[in-house]
């Protein structure tokens, strides 16, 4: 446990729970909700048990319970109430809390247990949209505010990627293509954020199309050979970090002249940077796609 973040500042609690530090202090002073440790200079710090209690209390308040009543319950009673009110409306909040705790403690068992319970109730695609995407968005915020380290982000991302790969393998064992369309999925050179692309690979093959996943950090010239093997390819990429803002236009033009020339191929661009691209200035065979779900609905 020495390498695991086990104490948190009040700012960490604010970032992880969504409750303002001022409100946390009031709950602590008025209701004795949390039991912080204090330094010689009277600076508060909180252990994992305090964090878990706060996350559960937030869930109960979201469900309409008054903080004055919650404060009279002990930790075990609060946890029982949380389990009791796990309706469809609140399940996702609860599992998000569990996934965050799994991340903070590098607890693979908690992640797997929470995920398997969720999978018994919902399809994998639903879990990805309703739980994993909000979780990853929140992790991005936690990372930028220094609440978590890159190690935490890598840990949880690897576990999510593992689940996507398992679902892909399940389908590939019985896959029967229903169309002659071919999709080729890749990330540009130096781009390594592949969770979104991997999920899109899952959605394409489960829709019955041929999908070739090439993965991270691939230079444009490495794609040329694909044109010799397949006709009418839809190339798909995610632009999250690379290329940089001032290099995107050159990248798109190089792709158009190298991969899309004299054929029926096309390129679809997803990711954060897709939203910054002026669609009207794109070459004819290239599109930026802002909404993943809308695209998947057309498969």
């Amino acid at each position: 446990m020495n390498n695991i973040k086990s104490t948190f500042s009040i700012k960490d609690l604010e970032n992880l729970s969504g409750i303002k530090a001022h409100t946390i202090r009031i709950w602590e002073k008025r209701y004795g909700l949390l039991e912080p440790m204090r330094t010689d200079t009277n600076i508060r710090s909180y252990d994992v048990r305090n964090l878990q209690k706060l996350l559960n209390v937030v869930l109960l308040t979201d469900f309409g319970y008054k903080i004055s009543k919650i404060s009279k319950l002990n930790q075990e009673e609060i946890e029982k109430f949380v389990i009791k009110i796990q309706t469809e409306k609140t399940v996702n909040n609860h599992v998000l809390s569990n996934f965050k705790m799994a991340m903070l403690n590098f607890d693979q068992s908690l992640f797997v247990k929470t995920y398997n319970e969720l999978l018994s109730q919902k399809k994998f695609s639903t879990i990805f949209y309703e739980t994993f995407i909000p979780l990853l968005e929140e992790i991005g915020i936690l990372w930028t505010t220094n609440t978590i380290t890159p190690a935490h982000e890598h840990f949880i991302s690897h576990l999510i990627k593992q689940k996507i790969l398992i679902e892909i393998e399940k389908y590939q064992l019985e896959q029967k293509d229903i169309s002659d369309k071919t999709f080729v999925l890749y990330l540009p050179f130096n781009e390594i954020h592949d969770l979104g692309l991997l999920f899109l690979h899952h959605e394409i093959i489960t829709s019955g199309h041929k999908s070739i996943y090439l993965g991270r950090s691939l230079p444009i010239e490495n794609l040329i050979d694909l044109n010799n093997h397949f006709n009418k390819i839809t190339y798909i990429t995610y632009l999250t970090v690379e290329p940089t803002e001032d290099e995107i236009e050159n990248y798109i033009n190089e792709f158009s002249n190298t991969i899309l020339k004299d054929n029926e191929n096309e390129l679809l661009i997803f990711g954060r940077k897709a939203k910054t691209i002026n669609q009207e200035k794109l070459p004819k065979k290239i599109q930026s796609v802002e909404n993943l779900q809308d695209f998947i609905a057309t498969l």
Side-chain angles (χ1 to χ4, degrees):
M1 291 288 290
N2 291 336
N3 296 322
I4 297 172
K5 186 168 184 176
S6 56
T7 59
F8 305 87
S9 68
I10 196 164
K11 189 63 178 178
D12 289 337
L13 294 194
E14 178 179 289
N15 291 333
L16 288 162
S17 68
I19 299 298
K20 294 293 184 183
H22 175 69
T23 302
I24 295 172
R25 289 191 189 98
I26 291 174
W27 287 0
E28 180 185 310
K29 184 176 180 180
R30 185 176 300 172
Y31 303 109
L33 192 68
L34 303 178
E35 298 175 358
M37 301 168 285
R38 293 179 184 270
T39 65
D40 294 339
T41 54
N42 208 34
I43 297 174
R44 296 174 174 85
S45 64
Y46 302 82
D47 61 16
V48 172
R49 190 166 176 80
N50 273 284
L51 171 60
Q52 181 68 72
K53 183 177 182 180
L54 179 61
L55 292 174
N56 284 333
V57 167
V58 171
L59 181 63
L60 292 177
T61 58
D62 287 344
F63 198 72
Y65 285 77
K66 300 293 185 183
I67 188 65
S68 56
K69 292 185 178 180
I70 300 172
S71 63
K72 295 176 183 177
L73 304 174
N74 61 36
Q75 181 107 345
E76 185 178 347
E77 290 170 330
I78 289 174
E79 291 172 357
K80 286 181 179 179
F81 266 97
V82 168
I83 294 171
K84 183 179 178 182
I85 65 170
Q86 281 186 37
T87 62
E88 274 300 307
K89 182 178 178 181
T90 61
V91 160
N92 206 45
N93 290 334
H94 183 66
V95 298
L96 282 173
S97 292
N98 278 356
F99 284 143
K100 283 190 285 186
M101 290 305 300
M103 174 186 68
L104 289 167
N105 289 318
F106 299 99
D107 188 343
Q108 182 169 316
S109 296
L110 178 58
F111 178 92
V112 172
K113 180 177 182 293
T114 304
Y115 173 77
N116 286 340
E117 289 174 355
L118 203 55
L119 192 61
S120 68
Q121 305 165 37
K122 300 181 179 183
K123 295 192 306 181
F124 173 74
S125 295
T126 303
I127 295 172
F128 192 88
Y129 285 124
E130 293 183 355
T131 304
F132 285 156
I133 289 179
L135 176 66
L136 291 167
E137 289 174 347
E138 188 169 349
I139 286 172
I141 295 170
L142 295 175
W143 184 81
T144 59
T145 57
N146 291 319
T147 304
I148 62 173
T149 68
H152 292 106
E153 187 270 336
H154 289 184
F155 172 78
I156 204 76
S157 295
H158 172 73
L159 290 175
I160 294 173
K161 183 185 296 186
Q162 186 182 69
K163 298 310 174 188
I164 300 174
L165 290 170
I166 288 171
E167 293 300 317
I168 289 172
E169 185 176 21
K170 282 181 188 177
Y171 192 83
Q172 284 177 328
L173 291 173
E174 301 177 357
Q175 182 181 10
K176 295 180 180 179
D177 297 339
I178 62 172
S179 77
D180 58 357
K181 291 189 70 173
T182 299
F183 293 84
V184 173
L185 284 66
Y186 79 100
L187 293 180
F189 187 65
N190 286 334
E191 177 66 78
I192 61 171
H193 296 82
D194 59 350
L195 275 180
L197 191 73
L198 196 59
F199 176 69
L200 191 49
H201 176 52
H202 170 272
E203 295 296 278
I204 291 171
I205 65 170
T206 55
S207 296
H209 303 295
K210 182 186 294 294
S211 181
I212 300 169
Y213 186 81
L214 302 180
R216 305 174 172 186
S217 196
L218 203 69
I220 289 176
E221 57 267 24
N222 286 186
L223 299 171
I224 295 173
D225 196 45
L226 275 296
N227 288 357
N228 299 326
H229 287 271
F230 304 99
N231 297 316
K232 201 173 181 180
I233 300 171
T234 298
Y235 288 93
I236 293 180
T237 192
Y238 260 76
L239 303 186
T240 305
V241 176
E242 295 288 342
T244 58
E245 300 293 338
D246 57 346
E247 296 174 335
I248 288 179
E249 185 176 349
N250 289 338
Y251 181 86
I252 288 172
N253 289 333
E254 182 185 354
F255 192 98
S256 179
N257 295 330
T258 305
I259 306 299
L260 304 183
K261 191 174 181 179
D262 300 325
N263 56 47
E264 297 183 77
N265 299 341
E266 62 178 347
L267 171 66
L268 303 182
I269 301 172
F270 291 79
R272 179 173 58 83
K273 292 193 174 183
K275 299 177 182 179
T276 68
I277 297 174
N278 187 336
Q279 186 77 37
E280 295 179 358
K281 292 184 178 180
L282 286 174
K284 186 177 179 181
K285 295 181 181 180
I286 299 179
Q287 298 179 54
S288 61
V289 184
E290 294 188 21
N291 191 298
L292 177 64
Q293 286 179 279
D294 287 349
F295 168 75
I296 289 174
T298 67
L299 291 173

